[in-house]
Amino acid sequence: MEDLKYRGKKREGRHRDTWDPFQLNPIGAEKEQKRRCFEVAQYLVAVIVGLAVLTSAVVAKGSLLVLSTLSSPTSMRSPKEKQFYLLMLVFCLVCPNFLVFLKSLWRIAFKSFVKPNMRTMLFICIIECLVSLGTSILVLVVMPQFDVLTNLFISGGVCIVSAILQIVFRLQRETWKIVFPVCSLILTLAGYCLLGVDYYVRVSSFVDRQSDDCFIYVGIGIFASLLVSLCWWENPLQATNRMQDKLSELDGFRDFVFVISSILRIMVIGGVYLFYHALIQQSIIWSDFKLLSDDWELLQIGLVLFFLQAFCSAACHWFGVVACKIHAVRMGFALPVCCTGPAVLLLGLILFITQAQELNGAKHGSITEFCESLVHLSHKNTTPVVLLEITRSICRTSLNSYYLQWPFSMLALEGVCMWSGFVTCTYYVWKIKVQRIERTSQLFVRRLYESAFIDLSLLLNTKMKVPRARNQESHDDIQNCVIYLCATMWHETYDEMLKILTSMFRLDRYRGDPKEEHKDCFDFECHIYVDDAFMTEEGTEKRLVNSYVTDLIHVVIEVYRVFTNKEPDDVSIIEAPYGGRLMFVMPEGNMLYVHLKDKGLIRNKKRWSQIMYLYYLLGWKGYIVKNPQKITRQNNPCRESLISMYGEIYLLPQYDNDNKRKFISDDNTYILALDGDTDFQPKAVILLVDRLRMYENVGAACGRIHPTGMGPMVWYQKFEYAVGHWLQKTAEHVFGSVLCSPGCFSLFRGSALMDDNVMKRYTTTASRAAEYVQYDQGEDRWLCTLLLQQGWRVEYNAASDAYTNSPQEFKEFYNQRRRWGPSTLANTLDLLHSGPETVKRNSSISRLYIFYQMFTVGSSILGPASVTLMIAGAFQFVFQMTGTMSIIVASIPPVFYIIVCFVAKSNNQITIAGIMSVLYAFLMTASFFSIIGDMVIQGTFLTPTGLFLVSMAIMYLVTAILHPEEFGMIIYGLMYFICIPSGYLLLTIYSLVNMHIVSWGTRESSKGGGEAKKNHNTLCDRSCKLCCWDMKIQITQETENLMLQQITGQIAQQAPPLPITKQEITEQAASKPEPQVRLDITKEEAEGGATKPPSDEKKGQVAKRTDVESSGSADSIEKDSISMGASDEDYEEDDDDRIRSLEETEELPVSDWVKPVKEEFLKKLTYANMKRNLQEQIRYTLRNKNEDDVCEELVLMLTDTLNGELSEVGPEDILTKSQLEELEDTLTEQARRILKTSHVEKLEKRVKVAIQKTLTAPQVQQLDEGEHDFWNKLLERYLKPIVETKAHQEDVSRELKSLRNRAVFLYFIINVLWVVATFFLQAIGSDVISIKIPKYYSNGTESGEFLKVEPLSLMFLLSFAVLLIVQFLAMLYHRIYTLIHVVSYRSTEKDYKQRKNHEDDDDDDNGLTVGNPVANGLYITSEDL
């Protein structure tokens, strides 16, 4: 209800000014807010992970203590039992080493192998052997000799070497924090001293007949702890920046080192076990390892404890990593790990106190009597073994002393010292700062964890992050990046354009002012490339923008109104060699460029638009930021790229990103490829950026694409897309690399696109049949193939959602898939063909992954035959046919449709496919219910068909549950099921037989065209007869004849030029009415200054004209000297001279399309729009909370002044130049009086700028000479419209037909062989060749009957089932890491708070301030001058 009232109030305000107050409000334009449910979920996940860390650590540590107690020589177990428990203890130490060995072996076998440096590897192996020696001595030799409490406390001493290194290298951020490692060292040494004193008291007090040899074990234990503490030597050293070369070298071949060191560690563990227990103690009796049937309890206890210890230690390590990644370092990691020791002690005491009465037969008098009575319980079967042995171990402490029991306090004090020692040693963990998403290698130094000391291992292994000098590269800090949003448009509707523009403006609002800091450390620009943007007007032959561009302009204005309640402030119209460009400053100051492509001057279609923006943004802009001296300088004393006003100098918005990019590498320059109808949230972009920031080898990342629309075709695609992303994309991401990053929403790394054999190869013009299919029919997949072949990885992020329109008509859907199908197959086969070379270059692609792709390609090739056999099964179920007859009947429709596709026209083929799809849908529906009925009749679903159907349904249901936001997609599963014959049989046939048609077949609208053309863009049109078939082939190319363009251009030159002032081609204003606004704002003539007929100069001649005093490049950085010590008066004089010089007019020719476009934006100067714009400009300029009263008074008084001055002007009338000048003077004078009355004269300059911005008309500009030359050369080299000879067209047509015939023949033969094999197996009979499967009822009982299945069908069914299970497991893995990423994003999500103006108003009249106040400290340096 509040929303309704708020919208009504805003509408009433608009209604006072115009009779047309109604506006669109696109979905998603409302301001984003943090959702409380997500905050609650975030804390809930953190608590759950923290509890998981604590629980798993307690269980792992407790299990190890119990095993050491059971294997103790003083245990009441038999020697056979002690020997078995000791072996389980050995397995606990071996397990983590074995897991690391397997993971490292997998990586060097299937990922990458780097030849190691032998000296470095030898050093690491020696350290690892010493650590393993210390661990095995401590756990296998010392701990069985001690009681359970001493074993719990003694492990705290393994932090001693880390504390010493921290003291030696002074790793503390603040000097006083050296107290922590010093205290740690003192406390640990005190703990060891108390340990020795405690055992001295035990020996002297004859506690539990303690012998003198315990001192030997105390000494060995201390020595072993020192050896174990060497394990984390690398952490302090990497924090000191010492040995950086060695450590970075080690990172390259760490996997190989882990393989060798893991084997050595296992050998050392086995050697210590055998040396001590077999040679010294001689306690191992090999025959006792043969367990008998009465040893079940022994086996059960030992194996349970081993599995608990091994599993929980691994789980604790994994949950600890997760806690750090979701930013729950304190609550989910440090606190639980630090509390592990006390929790184990507390849990043991609780169990001892509560379960003591379970020890039947024990005397419950004094502690000594209780301990003496335990000996008699060792042979009773009713006694819990674990509880008895732990109680017996506690009785070995000073508590069981007949003389003095107070020495037990020394044991407790020892525990406090040891625990405090390792907590103070790892104090830095509590203050560690984690980025949103970090690699495990950036969080932890070692991949290996020590299962015997899991809590200490996690804390000591956490990487120390210390501040580094600014000139040193640090991977711990987020790098700034620039994102170029590049949307390609091809005949989009108004609503579709509304989606993409709303998404861009949302991102602008999320990013905020580019001059201010943002926690995500990114800047962006928006570029829209409109294909087929011009038309030739009938009658006049003028070249004008078509209705698509007009719609786009209206959408930009409408979205700007929705987000700001005013018209676009800064609009520039620029002519370019490829057509034209519109430039906007978005509400927060980020830039939006609309590039209008004339297909007579530049190639159209998506791939060529991509090449256009890749060369422009990566090639040209990358060149000019690296070579600023190459840019043409201006003779003007003021730099064109700067705004000089009131002593403050700021870069204009369109130059700002170019200036920042000088400090940003190509690795941190990203291209976000978009379609003209994509709808996305800022979160989706940031999540993709995280993937590229996290891994340097990721060249591209794509999100979850959701098809939108209505109707059965959209329902089918919704489930198809869901299954494709849920299972196939995740499997590709987990097992190797995603093969296709869709062009509608994908983020590409600049350095990856600029790599060899990528961008250059991408510019290849198709000349052969296979190239037409691979290059132009699925350009996004081909680009990803090129990236993969160069060694880059492509990833998938399931939480990055984007929505795009999908085909709603059957014909459009078939034509889209006609392009995608052959292109997908061609690119996959290309990747498989280069498989061995790609495996060498790409660490993400292994031979196993190549085999997986071969299997999926084989399954897709056999898809038509599999569907045919499935339909044959449907005939069997529904019509009770025999197996052979059903196969024959099922094969007739596909053969019929193949013939239809060869002889009929494309539209007729699709019509027939539609009719057959409906018939197939009826059959599949009947088959579905028949299978269910058959299971009811059989009394079981445990048949191959029934089991497959039920398992598929369960798997998809579980998958949907794991995607809660997309659970509704499961509803469309039935639609998908009944359309399987259409999608996998008819569509495959249609796409293969029509492979020779290389036109897009979608959005082929003539809405934007001017004059109708017969056979538009037809390059080859041939009819031929083959036997009795009439065949028609047509090849089209989306270009026009260049000759026609030249002729029309020469005719159009007769018109005189349109006069415009030089003022119109000056630089654009800054985005906000703050002090950083240009001074050269002058009044525009409302009618655009047009008094003569417009001209239509030939595009090449127009573009070549440059003016020395014009604005310069809209996309480059001008370099000119600035006198740093100049006073405000000097700058004001320069600006006044500049304004006077700009008022001179010069005749400059402009194209015909400029004037109508400019008139669209001149509507800003109507009375109704001007009133609203003035109010919003004033509010925005004075948005500081301290100026609210003055702001509202200004708005009220200036609005009254405007109403009085324009009382005789209609609400839709555009003001003339004289009216604007008079109005500006009046408003400025009124504002001066108000501010003087309010004693805030310092705001006068700001308010004046706001008034000037309100009255500024759109500007017409020209490109500078450098950029103009770039576009001419780019067009000449790569993007000149293709004009093919008739002979070449005939050759291509012939090649395409030949390729089509070969592909159809290959597909046909493979599928026919599969069907024929199945047919003959059916014909021979199930009694001769079949696999007999016992039939079971649903309750699990055997029926005594057998189900006979032919081996071929069973093999294919099992293969498909295995493929689905593999994909399902990959999905589970991917879901977990997606959840981690989403939770970490929510914890750092931007909080939309009311803006505050951080600028001090008193600074307005201070001296010259140079530079942009941006996060990374970009300032104008001597290099810029």
Side-chain angles (χ1 to χ4, degrees):
M1 194 63 193
E2 294 294 328
D3 290 341
L4 294 174
K5 291 180 179 178
Y6 175 71
R7 292 200 303 269
K9 187 177 179 181
K10 288 183 68 175
R11 186 178 61 253
E12 286 177 10
R14 294 194 302 269
H15 209 163
R16 296 190 191 99
D17 308 323
T18 179
W19 52 265
D20 186 12
F22 317 110
Q23 67 177 24
L24 292 175
N25 194 2
I27 297 173
E30 62 276 0
K31 203 159 192 175
E32 297 89 346
Q33 292 181 346
K34 271 194 171 184
R35 292 166 65 179
R36 293 297 171 193
C37 61
F38 282 125
E39 290 187 19
V40 173
Q42 172 199 333
Y43 287 114
L44 186 63
V45 170
V47 169
I48 291 172
V49 171
L51 289 175
V53 170
L54 180 62
T55 305
S56 54
V58 167
V59 173
K61 201 172 186 71
S63 302
L64 188 83
L65 291 172
V66 170
L67 278 174
S68 65
T69 303
L70 290 172
S71 60
S72 172
T74 60
S75 167
M76 293 184 288
R77 299 299 95 203
S78 66
K80 182 177 182 178
E81 290 177 290
K82 295 177 186 177
Q83 179 177 308
F84 181 74
Y85 291 135
L86 190 66
L87 185 64
M88 294 298 103
L89 210 55
V90 172
F91 286 164
C92 288
L93 297 183
V94 168
C95 186
N97 295 285
F98 182 68
L99 292 176
V100 169
F101 170 78
L102 291 179
K103 185 172 182 179
S104 302
L105 186 64
W106 167 271
R107 290 174 67 90
I108 64 173
F110 296 112
K111 298 289 184 179
S112 61
F113 172 74
V114 179
K115 189 177 179 181
N117 181 309
M118 298 309 295
R119 291 182 62 184
T120 306
M121 191 176 76
L122 181 63
F123 172 74
I124 300 296
C125 288
I126 291 173
I127 294 289
E128 293 296 325
C129 288
L130 290 175
V131 172
S132 182
L133 179 65
T135 304
S136 50
I137 288 176
L138 190 61
V139 175
L140 302 179
V141 177
V142 175
M143 286 176 66
Q145 302 293 331
F146 291 163
D147 60 89
V148 66
L149 294 178
T150 305
N151 288 337
L152 175 63
F153 299 149
I154 196 174
S155 61
V158 299
C159 63
I160 190 166
V161 169
S162 180
I164 293 171
L165 290 176
Q166 287 184 53
I167 296 169
V168 171
F169 293 127
R170 297 180 180 275
L171 298 179
Q172 295 71 34
R173 292 175 183 266
E174 291 90 14
T175 309
W176 67 269
K177 287 187 177 179
I178 199 172
V179 172
F180 287 106
V182 170
C183 287
S184 173
L185 185 61
I186 294 171
L187 288 167
T188 305
L189 293 175
Y192 283 138
C193 293
L194 288 169
L195 173 64
V197 172
D198 179 43
Y199 268 87
Y200 174 77
V201 171
R202 294 191 200 184
V203 172
S204 59
S205 301
F206 304 103
V207 174
D208 197 41
R209 293 177 291 278
Q210 187 71 55
S211 60
D212 292 339
D213 62 351
C214 64
F215 296 114
I216 299 173
Y217 289 105
V218 169
I220 294 173
I222 295 172
F223 174 71
S225 297
L226 286 172
L227 290 180
V228 174
S229 62
L230 292 173
C231 183
W232 300 281
W233 65 273
E234 202 178 330
N235 197 359
L237 287 181
Q238 62 84 26
T240 62
N241 293 329
R242 298 168 186 251
M243 293 180 64
Q244 285 302 307
D245 294 337
K246 288 289 182 187
L247 293 177
S248 59
E249 181 187 35
L250 175 61
D251 287 334
F253 54 84
R254 193 179 289 272
D255 290 315
F256 183 78
V257 171
F258 272 133
V259 169
I260 303 300
S261 64
S262 297
I263 295 172
L264 291 175
R265 285 175 66 112
I266 292 172
M267 291 172 62
V268 169
I269 292 168
V272 170
Y273 170 66
L274 294 174
F275 179 78
Y276 180 76
H277 292 282
L279 298 180
I280 297 178
Q281 295 289 332
Q282 295 182 353
S283 59
I284 297 178
I285 302 172
W286 300 105
S287 60
D288 285 348
F289 285 118
K290 190 180 293 183
L291 299 179
L292 304 176
S293 57
D294 57 348
D295 295 321
W296 167 245
E297 185 183 12
L298 165 65
L299 185 66
Q300 186 181 25
I301 294 174
L303 289 179
V304 166
L305 288 172
F306 162 63
F307 283 118
L308 277 176
Q309 207 284 331
F311 174 78
C312 288
S313 57
C316 182
H317 178 259
W318 186 81
F319 279 116
V321 174
V322 170
C324 292
K325 288 189 174 184
I326 63 173
H327 296 197
V329 177
R330 294 183 185 180
M331 185 170 66
F333 178 67
L335 181 62
V337 173
C338 287
C339 292
T340 298
V344 172
L345 181 62
L346 185 63
L347 182 65
L349 290 175
I350 291 172
L351 288 174
F352 176 72
I353 293 170
T354 58
Q355 300 296 320
Q357 61 268 25
E358 296 291 330
L359 300 174
N360 297 324
K363 295 180 180 180
H364 297 285
S366 66
I367 186 70
T368 52
E369 292 178 353
F370 176 77
C371 291
E372 287 291 341
S373 64
L374 295 178
V375 181
H376 306 293
L377 302 179
S378 60
H379 303 294
K380 292 188 178 181
N381 295 330
T382 57
T383 306
V385 174
V386 174
L387 183 62
L388 175 64
E389 291 299 335
I390 290 176
T391 308
R392 177 72 186 84
S393 182
I394 293 174
C395 286
R396 295 175 60 196
T397 65
S398 300
L399 280 175
N400 193 21
S401 173
Y402 285 95
Y403 304 101
L404 299 171
Q405 293 183 348
W406 67 264
F408 179 77
S409 60
M410 285 191 297
L411 179 63
L413 191 59
E414 174 203 341
V416 171
C417 288
M418 288 294 191
W419 181 80
S420 303
F422 98 84
V423 169
T424 51
C425 181
T426 55
Y427 72 95
Y428 57 87
V429 177
W430 294 83
K431 291 289 185 180
I432 192 171
K433 290 184 179 180
V434 182
Q435 304 299 345
R436 174 184 298 127
I437 180 169
E438 282 198 272
R439 301 176 64 172
T440 308
S441 60
Q442 293 171 333
L443 294 170
F444 298 98
V445 179
R446 295 163 53 84
R447 187 181 305 148
L448 180 66
Y449 63 91
E450 299 294 329
S451 61
F453 322 101
I454 186 62
D455 50 342
L456 294 102
S457 171
L458 284 175
L459 287 177
L460 292 169
N461 196 28
T462 305
K463 190 176 267 190
M464 298 178 189
K465 296 187 178 184
V466 295
R468 302 188 180 186
R470 288 189 175 272
N471 57 354
Q472 287 183 316
E473 184 179 355
S474 173
H475 296 288
D476 299 335
D477 301 323
I478 284 187
Q479 302 294 317
N480 287 314
C481 68
V482 170
I483 308 171
Y484 294 107
L485 278 68
C486 300
T488 53
M489 284 194 173
W490 173 257
H491 296 171
E492 270 74 15
T493 64
Y494 189 96
D495 289 335
E496 290 170 343
M497 294 176 185
L498 200 60
K499 289 181 182 179
I500 186 70
L501 264 301
T502 303
S503 300
M504 289 177 170
F505 275 69
R506 272 199 299 256
L507 186 62
D508 171 68
R509 185 168 60 197
Y510 177 84
R511 172 57 184 89
D513 190 341
K515 300 178 187 64
E516 295 179 358
E517 291 185 29
H518 194 280
K519 62 170 64 179
D520 293 317
C521 298
F522 77 99
D523 292 285
F524 79 97
E525 285 179 6
C526 297
H527 293 261
I528 297 175
Y529 293 80
V530 184
D531 267 314
D532 191 21
F534 291 88
M535 67 177 181
T536 303
E537 190 177 42
E538 294 186 25
T540 63
E541 299 300 320
K542 291 180 181 178
R543 200 70 175 152
L544 304 175
V545 295
N546 58 23
S547 58
Y548 293 108
V549 178
T550 306
D551 284 348
L552 181 59
I553 292 170
H554 292 161
V555 168
V556 172
I557 295 172
E558 190 69 34
V559 173
Y560 208 104
R561 283 180 190 152
V562 170
F563 276 77
T564 64
N565 201 30
K566 60 188 177 73
E567 307 295 304
D569 285 328
D570 302 301
V571 182
S572 297
I573 304 166
I574 305 168
E575 293 186 74
Y578 55 81
R581 181 189 302 171
L582 306 178
M583 186 169 68
F584 304 88
V585 179
M586 299 168 83
E588 296 293 340
N590 300 288
M591 296 304 299
L592 168 63
Y593 300 89
V594 177
H595 303 263
L596 308 176
K597 292 173 60 180
D598 189 337
K599 62 185 178 185
L601 302 173
I602 188 171
R603 296 180 194 177
N604 65 338
K605 277 193 164 181
K606 186 174 181 178
R607 178 158 76 98
W608 303 112
S609 292
Q610 289 177 329
I611 292 167
M612 177 183 174
Y613 66 66
L614 290 178
Y615 269 90
Y616 174 50
L617 300 173
L618 299 179
W620 169 250
K621 287 201 170 190
Y623 170 76
I624 63 172
V625 297
K626 292 178 176 66
N627 300 277
Q629 70 279 4
K630 300 286 185 183
I631 305 305
T632 308
R633 295 169 181 260
Q634 304 292 328
N635 297 326
N636 204 297
C638 290
R639 282 173 51 172
E640 287 291 336
S641 62
L642 297 174
I643 305 167
S644 170
M645 189 178 68
Y646 320 136
E648 298 181 1
I649 293 182
Y650 292 92
L651 285 173
L652 282 163
Q654 61 265 37
Y655 295 101
D656 203 14
N657 279 344
D658 292 342
N659 184 59
K660 291 177 183 177
R661 191 172 161 187
K662 290 192 300 183
F663 306 92
I664 295 173
S665 66
D666 293 331
D667 286 331
N668 295 316
T669 303
Y670 305 137
I671 301 287
L672 182 64
L674 300 165
D675 276 353
D677 58 358
T678 306
D679 183 15
F680 61 90
Q681 294 288 340
K683 177 197 83 167
V685 180
I686 302 304
L687 291 178
L688 292 185
V689 171
D690 286 342
R691 301 306 305 180
L692 270 66
R693 275 181 171 150
M694 184 177 179
Y695 296 105
E696 294 177 353
N697 67 329
V698 175
C702 62
R704 165 72 165 96
I705 310 301
H706 300 263
T708 58
M710 294 182 65
M713 287 315 308
V714 178
W715 301 340
Y716 172 84
Q717 290 172 88
K718 279 180 181 289
F719 191 79
E720 181 194 33
Y721 273 68
V723 171
H725 286 89
W726 291 350
L727 299 174
Q728 294 166 15
K729 272 265 196 298
T730 52
E732 289 179 348
H733 173 97
V734 171
F735 297 127
S737 176
V738 175
L739 297 189
C740 178
S741 188
C744 59
F745 188 71
S746 293
L747 190 70
F748 293 90
R749 190 188 298 275
S751 57
L753 295 169
M754 298 163 74
D755 200 0
D756 297 341
N757 289 329
V758 180
M759 201 150 79
K760 190 72 173 179
R761 180 84 185 277
Y762 198 55
T763 62
T764 305
T765 303
S767 58
R768 296 182 293 115
E771 293 174 351
Y772 277 99
V773 173
Q774 184 179 3
Y775 296 179
D776 293 329
Q777 300 298 289
E779 64 291 324
D780 44 7
R781 186 173 283 270
W782 183 43
L783 181 58
C784 291
T785 302
L786 295 176
L787 290 173
L788 293 173
Q789 290 172 338
Q790 282 302 108
W792 295 95
R793 174 175 167 79
V794 181
E795 290 200 345
Y796 163 61
N797 189 300
S800 183
D801 296 301
Y803 300 82
T804 184
N805 278 20
S806 58
Q808 301 185 44
E809 301 294 332
F810 191 79
K811 175 184 176 182
E812 191 179 4
F813 172 74
Y814 259 53
N815 280 327
Q816 182 195 63
R817 300 309 169 92
R818 184 208 71 212
R819 291 188 292 111
W820 288 5
S823 170
T824 299
L825 186 61
N827 279 285
T828 308
L829 292 176
D830 182 20
L831 187 67
L832 295 179
H833 177 70
S834 63
E837 187 63 30
T838 305
V839 168
K840 290 179 186 176
R841 288 192 175 194
N842 198 322
S843 60
S844 299
I845 294 181
S846 62
R847 293 177 183 84
L848 204 60
Y849 182 67
I850 293 292
F851 175 75
Y852 167 79
Q853 287 298 334
M854 289 172 65
F855 187 79
T856 55
V857 168
S859 300
S860 65
I861 290 175
L862 287 174
S866 304
V867 173
T868 302
L869 293 174
M870 185 177 70
I871 293 165
F875 279 124
Q876 272 186 291
F877 276 117
V878 178
F879 301 109
Q880 300 300 314
M881 292 183 179
T882 61
T884 52
M885 179 56 66
S886 64
I887 292 176
I888 293 172
V889 173
S891 301
I892 292 173
V895 173
F896 165 74
Y897 189 62
I898 291 174
I899 296 171
V900 167
C901 288
F902 270 105
V903 300
K905 293 181 179 179
S906 178
N907 288 343
N908 295 337
Q909 297 172 29
I910 293 175
T911 303
I912 293 171
I915 296 170
M916 294 178 68
S917 297
V918 173
L919 297 176
Y920 271 133
F922 284 122
L923 179 63
M924 291 299 293
T925 306
S927 172
F928 176 72
F929 288 107
S930 297
I931 292 171
I932 295 173
D934 181 65
M935 286 191 288
V936 172
I937 293 170
Q938 295 281 346
T940 178
F941 65 86
L942 299 177
T943 64
T945 307
L947 196 61
F948 182 72
L949 189 67
V950 171
S951 59
M952 284 277 290
I954 292 173
M955 191 184 72
Y956 282 136
L957 184 63
V958 172
T959 305
I961 291 171
L962 292 174
H963 295 77
E965 292 186 352
E966 304 172 36
F967 182 77
M969 297 296 161
I970 201 74
I971 299 170
Y972 305 117
L974 186 60
M975 180 72 188
Y976 180 80
F977 176 77
I978 65 175
C979 290
I980 283 177
S982 178
Y984 289 88
L985 178 62
L986 301 180
L987 182 55
T988 303
I989 294 171
Y990 175 78
S991 60
L992 280 174
V993 178
N994 291 279
M995 188 189 293
H996 61 289
I997 301 175
V998 292
S999 66
W1000 274 38
T1002 54
R1003 296 187 187 274
E1004 300 291 350
S1005 170
S1006 60
K1007 170 189 169 187
E1011 53 186 13
K1013 297 181 178 66
K1014 189 176 181 181
N1015 293 332
H1016 185 55
N1017 294 346
T1018 301
L1019 300 181
C1020 179
D1021 193 357
R1022 287 282 182 272
S1023 298
C1024 58
K1025 271 195 171 185
L1026 179 62
C1027 299
C1028 58
W1029 295 347
D1030 289 319
M1031 300 179 65
K1032 184 178 180 66
I1033 182 169
Q1034 192 177 73
I1035 303 172
T1036 63
Q1037 179 69 33
E1038 295 300 326
T1039 58
E1040 284 188 5
N1041 194 319
L1042 191 59
M1043 187 73 72
L1044 290 174
Q1045 290 298 312
Q1046 293 172 347
I1047 292 171
T1048 55
Q1050 290 166 2
I1051 293 172
Q1053 288 183 39
Q1054 311 301 326
L1058 173 70
I1060 62 173
T1061 63
K1062 281 198 58 185
Q1063 153 216 349
E1064 285 183 297
I1065 59 171
T1066 55
E1067 270 304 345
Q1068 182 77 336
S1071 60
K1072 302 186 185 315
E1074 291 181 333
Q1076 62 266 33
V1077 184
R1078 70 190 187 291
L1079 195 62
D1080 55 333
I1081 302 175
T1082 53
K1083 282 69 66 182
E1084 299 268 353
E1085 185 174 352
E1087 291 80 2
T1091 56
K1092 298 180 182 180
S1095 69
D1096 186 15
E1097 279 285 322
K1098 187 177 175 181
K1099 299 292 185 298
Q1101 297 174 359
V1102 170
K1104 286 179 182 175
R1105 294 184 59 101
T1106 55
D1107 189 81
V1108 179
E1109 298 177 12
S1110 66
S1111 65
S1113 168
D1115 306 288
S1116 59
I1117 303 174
E1118 295 294 341
K1119 303 293 174 187
D1120 251 323
S1121 60
I1122 297 179
S1123 173
M1124 291 299 191
S1127 65
D1128 297 348
E1129 289 78 9
D1130 295 335
Y1131 276 96
E1132 288 173 2
E1133 289 175 8
D1134 291 339
D1135 291 337
D1136 290 341
D1137 294 339
R1138 187 177 179 191
I1139 292 174
R1140 284 195 293 272
S1141 67
L1142 291 175
E1143 288 175 351
E1144 302 172 4
T1145 61
E1146 180 182 340
E1147 297 290 332
L1148 286 178
V1150 294
S1151 301
D1152 290 322
W1153 64 270
V1154 173
K1155 182 182 176 183
V1157 171
K1158 185 175 180 180
E1159 286 175 350
E1160 289 291 337
F1161 294 109
L1162 282 175
K1163 294 175 183 176
K1164 166 190 175 182
L1165 301 179
T1166 61
Y1167 163 61
N1169 289 333
M1170 200 179 303
K1171 180 180 174 182
R1172 186 172 67 249
N1173 293 349
L1174 179 63
Q1175 293 171 347
E1176 295 301 323
Q1177 286 284 11
I1178 297 295
R1179 289 193 179 103
Y1180 190 85
T1181 302
L1182 308 179
R1183 62 190 181 278
N1184 195 329
K1185 290 183 178 180
N1186 300 330
E1187 300 164 356
D1188 286 347
D1189 296 337
V1190 178
C1191 176
E1192 291 306 316
E1193 184 181 359
L1194 271 173
V1195 167
L1196 185 63
M1197 298 300 292
L1198 292 182
T1199 302
D1200 290 342
T1201 304
L1202 189 70
N1203 291 336
E1205 290 292 318
L1206 304 180
S1207 57
E1208 298 180 359
V1209 178
E1212 303 296 326
D1213 295 342
I1214 298 175
L1215 272 62
T1216 62
K1217 181 179 178 180
S1218 59
Q1219 288 175 313
L1220 289 171
E1221 290 175 348
E1222 183 181 347
L1223 182 60
E1224 181 181 352
D1225 293 338
T1226 306
L1227 290 174
T1228 305
E1229 182 61 32
Q1230 177 68 13
R1232 185 182 296 115
R1233 285 200 298 268
I1234 296 170
L1235 295 173
K1236 188 174 182 180
T1237 305
S1238 302
H1239 305 292
V1240 282
E1241 293 89 345
K1242 59 186 177 182
L1243 302 179
E1244 182 182 334
K1245 296 173 183 177
R1246 290 187 180 182
V1247 175
K1248 183 179 179 182
V1249 171
I1251 294 170
Q1252 289 175 337
K1253 285 179 73 68
T1254 305
L1255 305 178
T1256 301
Q1259 301 176 354
V1260 179
Q1261 301 180 8
Q1262 299 286 340
L1263 293 180
D1264 77 340
E1265 185 177 356
E1267 185 177 348
H1268 184 273
D1269 183 61
F1270 155 74
W1271 282 114
N1272 280 334
K1273 288 186 170 132
L1274 180 66
L1275 294 177
E1276 180 67 28
R1277 192 172 299 175
Y1278 299 117
L1279 298 175
K1280 185 188 295 181
I1282 299 173
V1283 181
E1284 295 179 336
T1285 63
K1286 189 175 181 180
H1288 178 70
Q1289 294 169 9
E1290 291 176 352
D1291 290 341
V1292 170
S1293 173
R1294 190 165 53 251
E1295 282 187 31
L1296 282 167
K1297 286 174 63 178
S1298 175
L1299 178 67
R1300 183 271 312 268
N1301 294 337
R1302 292 198 304 270
V1304 170
F1305 178 77
L1306 181 65
Y1307 249 85
F1308 184 77
I1309 288 298
I1310 293 174
N1311 283 274
V1312 165
L1313 287 174
W1314 185 263
V1315 173
V1316 167
T1318 308
F1319 174 81
F1320 279 108
L1321 284 173
Q1322 289 277 4
I1324 292 170
S1326 58
D1327 293 330
V1328 181
I1329 303 177
S1330 64
I1331 296 175
K1332 295 181 180 179
I1333 301 175
K1335 181 180 175 183
Y1336 289 90
Y1337 293 115
S1338 53
N1339 60 4
T1341 58
E1342 191 172 350
S1343 65
E1345 302 175 8
F1346 290 91
L1347 298 168
K1348 298 174 183 177
V1349 185
E1350 66 270 13
L1352 208 58
S1353 301
L1354 186 64
M1355 182 193 71
F1356 185 77
L1357 202 64
L1358 288 176
S1359 301
F1360 190 65
V1362 168
L1363 181 65
L1364 283 176
I1365 291 171
V1366 166
Q1367 291 179 344
F1368 182 76
L1369 295 175
M1371 182 271 301
L1372 291 177
Y1373 177 87
H1374 194 267
R1375 279 278 86 193
I1376 292 170
Y1377 283 92
T1378 300
L1379 176 65
I1380 293 171
H1381 193 179
V1382 170
V1383 173
S1384 66
Y1385 170 79
R1386 293 295 178 187
S1387 63
T1388 60
E1389 188 178 11
K1390 178 178 177 180
D1391 195 6
Y1392 292 87
K1393 297 178 181 177
Q1394 188 174 357
R1395 290 184 63 120
K1396 293 182 181 179
N1397 188 7
H1398 299 288
E1399 299 175 21
D1400 189 356
D1401 295 329
D1402 297 333
D1403 292 342
D1404 281 355
D1405 299 315
N1406 289 345
L1408 177 65
T1409 305
V1410 180
N1412 283 339
V1414 292
N1416 57 359
L1418 300 184
Y1419 297 102
I1420 298 176
T1421 62
S1422 57
E1423 180 189 352
D1424 300 308
L1425 303 178

